[in-house]
Amino acid sequence: MADDNVEVKNQGGSGKGLMIVLIALIFVLIIAVAGGFYFLYNHTSNLSNNQNQAPVEQTTSSPAGEAGSFKADINELVLNLTDSRGKEKLMKLSFSIKSTEPTIAAIVEEYKAEIIDVVISQISARSSEELLTVGGKNLLKDELVNDINGVLNNVPAEKKFGKDSVKTVLFTTFVIK
């Protein structure tokens, strides 16, 4: 009988050790998941913070075939998209605005917030699947030209900026992830 009690005590001791190991594994798993969420959230918020930092660069080149063509660049917009199933995606977008006005870069810089707002509104109205097609990109370009011209047509007359002077939008970066 005394031997039976000793065996029972040994089995009880190994059960406590197993329970401690399981609790330690669960604790390590919780810490790993929390760390993963922290790094994922931190990376996503850094991308979102870069959305408002869209530098505008002026390029005033006139290729041989396009006399009187001037450009202004808007770089590295980071935008939120959804697909048809409701899944959120990120889009990185840079584009050039081609115009017949030599002062386009200064005007775009001055009205950058309004132009970016138009871009965000147009892209938010579309799904990522639509934007990945050639037809979707061409439709977006056409509507951006119209909307940017709408913004720039409200420039005061003393700035001497022509009406409907934006001729095209050229995407220089178009990434959906």
Side-chain angles (χ1 to χ4, degrees):
M1 287 287 239
D3 293 333
D4 291 337
N5 288 339
V6 172
E7 288 180 26
V8 171
K9 286 183 182 177
N10 286 342
Q11 288 176 353
S14 67
K16 286 183 181 178
L18 182 60
M19 184 64 84
I20 291 172
V21 169
L22 285 175
I23 290 173
L25 285 175
I26 291 172
F27 182 72
V28 169
L29 181 64
I30 289 172
I31 297 237
V33 168
F37 279 120
Y38 171 76
F39 287 116
L40 179 65
Y41 175 75
N42 191 20
H43 176 69
T44 305
S45 67
N46 285 343
L47 288 177
S48 297
N49 288 341
N50 290 338
Q51 177 179 1
N52 296 332
Q53 301 172 356
V56 175
E57 297 176 9
Q58 178 180 7
T59 308
T60 56
S61 63
S62 295
E66 298 181 31
S69 180
F70 301 92
K71 289 192 312 185
D73 297 328
I74 295 186
N75 294 319
E76 297 184 359
L77 294 175
V78 178
L79 308 162
N80 294 319
L81 289 175
T82 56
D83 61 11
S84 60
R85 291 171 274 148
K87 184 178 177 186
E88 291 186 5
K89 295 186 176 195
L90 289 176
M91 176 181 189
K92 184 175 181 180
L93 178 69
S94 299
F95 60 94
S96 293
I97 300 171
K98 288 186 88 174
S99 174
T100 57
E101 288 291 326
T103 60
I104 186 69
I107 297 295
V108 166
E109 181 65 35
E110 187 174 340
Y111 290 88
K112 181 170 60 174
E114 290 87 348
I115 293 170
I116 291 174
D117 183 59
V118 165
V119 172
I120 291 171
S121 296
Q122 284 293 337
I123 289 177
S124 296
R126 292 168 168 67
S127 69
S128 60
E129 288 91 358
E130 179 183 353
L131 292 172
L132 288 172
T133 66
V134 174
K137 288 177 185 149
N138 289 334
L139 180 62
L140 178 63
K141 282 182 182 183
D142 293 340
E143 291 185 8
L144 285 177
V145 167
N146 290 335
D147 288 351
I148 292 171
N149 271 327
V151 168
L152 299 181
N153 285 344
N154 294 325
V155 171
E158 64 265 8
K159 297 203 186 230
K160 297 179 182 174
F161 192 80
K163 300 289 183 197
D164 295 329
S165 64
V166 173
K167 298 305 176 194
T168 189
V169 170
L170 304 170
F171 296 132
T172 54
T173 303
F174 197 100
V175 177
I176 297 175
K177 187 173 179 183

